[in-house]
Amino acid sequence: MIKLVFTGTLVSKPATRFIDAGKRQTICGFTVKTDSDTYFLVTCRGRQAENAAKYLHKGRRVCVEAGTIITRAYTGRDGKARYTMEVPAEVIDYG
């Protein structure tokens, strides 16, 4: 089993939407400072999504634990291929 732990800063306000018969999902942008900034979309569902929407805000430092990273490809408005990394959070430390 792989366990990934990221510590970084939220770069966007958490956005909440409802999926799958009323279940809540919260998505927020997250960046990790390295030689060059690495940007992720952190997603969480259920009770954790409610807490993230309530307590997280842009600029807050958090620690996210996850088991996977999902890479998605899409075509941007300029016609170029773009990629995004999504991290389904298992644990978010608000510390």
Side-chain angles (χ1 to χ4, degrees):
M1 184 171 120
I2 297 173
K3 182 176 182 180
L4 304 166
V5 180
F6 301 96
T7 300
T9 305
L10 296 179
V11 295
S12 66
K13 178 181 173 185
T16 300
R17 62 182 178 185
F18 292 91
I19 58 170
D20 300 333
K23 291 185 181 178
R24 184 182 299 227
Q25 179 182 40
T26 298
I27 301 172
C28 52
F30 180 79
T31 187
V32 176
K33 295 281 187 184
T34 57
D35 294 340
S36 62
D37 291 346
T38 304
Y39 180 80
F40 300 94
L41 287 176
V42 176
T43 60
C44 49
R45 295 183 180 197
R47 182 75 174 156
Q48 187 177 43
E50 293 176 32
N51 290 333
K54 187 175 180 181
Y55 297 111
L56 295 181
H57 53 83
K58 183 177 177 178
R60 179 145 187 195
R61 292 195 48 86
V62 294
C63 180
V64 176
E65 293 181 22
T68 60
I69 296 178
I70 300 167
T71 303
R72 300 187 192 278
Y74 64 95
T75 303
R77 292 182 182 168
D78 58 0
K80 294 182 181 179
R82 306 274 184 207
Y83 301 92
T84 184
M85 291 184 283
E86 184 177 320
V87 178
E90 293 174 1
V91 176
I92 298 177
D93 182 4
Y94 301 96

